Amino acid sequence: MVAVSMRGAKKLQDELESFALSLPEAWFDTPWDESRVTKVRKQIFAFYGNQDAPSIGVRLIESLDEAMNLPGASAMSYGMGEDGWTNIPIPGLDDGTTDMLHRFIEESFRSIAPKSLVEQLDDELAD
């Protein structure tokens, strides 16, 4: 595997945002200056670093240990890490980590979204 370059990390971060937006009722927001997030209804389920420091922040329970073993991964600040919120820098990850990052986004969505939207996602995935 080859490590993702900074240019590749920016491209991957954009792709991860697109993936998150494909989930039921997901939408993009910039609640704090240039901070980029994806929400389901009114709740954030993914944070994104700026273009100078591409990263993803997600809430993980089942995959927390796996994520924390990635280079540079850390618990998010402001006490959010206590609830499983994890920040994962994208530069330097193996270029084959896209599927894993998709799983992390989906897991975060499932932990935040109302049960009806989780069921809708399950139905869409079953088709």
Side-chain angles (χ1 to χ4, degrees):
M1 294 277 170
V2 177
V4 175
S5 67
M6 181 59 81
R7 182 176 179 194
K10 292 175 184 179
K11 184 177 177 182
L12 178 54
Q13 180 174 269
D14 291 342
E15 192 281 327
L16 295 173
E17 288 181 41
S18 294
F19 173 77
L21 289 170
S22 74
L23 300 172
E25 294 190 30
W27 57 286
F28 181 78
D29 195 11
T30 53
W32 310 282
D33 297 324
E34 295 182 25
S35 297
R36 299 159 35 174
V37 302
T38 307
K39 295 181 175 181
V40 57
R41 301 221 170 136
K42 294 182 180 183
Q43 302 295 316
I44 297 170
F45 70 92
F47 292 85
Y48 307 97
N50 63 42
Q51 289 294 305
D52 294 330
S55 65
I56 184 160
V58 286
R59 183 172 187 244
L60 301 173
I61 298 165
E62 296 171 10
S63 303
L64 182 59
D65 290 339
E66 179 182 10
M68 291 300 286
N69 285 318
L70 293 171
S74 62
M76 291 180 69
S77 57
Y78 303 109
M80 293 175 65
E82 295 171 13
D83 291 326
W85 284 98
T86 306
N87 185 63
I88 304 165
I90 297 173
L93 292 179
D94 290 338
D95 62 1
T97 58
T98 304
D99 289 342
M100 177 183 58
L101 296 173
H102 283 190
R103 278 191 300 108
F104 292 168
I105 291 169
E106 184 179 327
E107 182 177 335
S108 188
F109 174 87
R110 289 174 179 278
S111 74
I112 301 296
K115 185 178 179 181
S116 62
L117 294 181
V118 172
E119 290 171 355
Q120 180 181 338
L121 176 60
D122 288 338
D123 290 344
E124 290 174 6
L125 293 174
D127 290 340

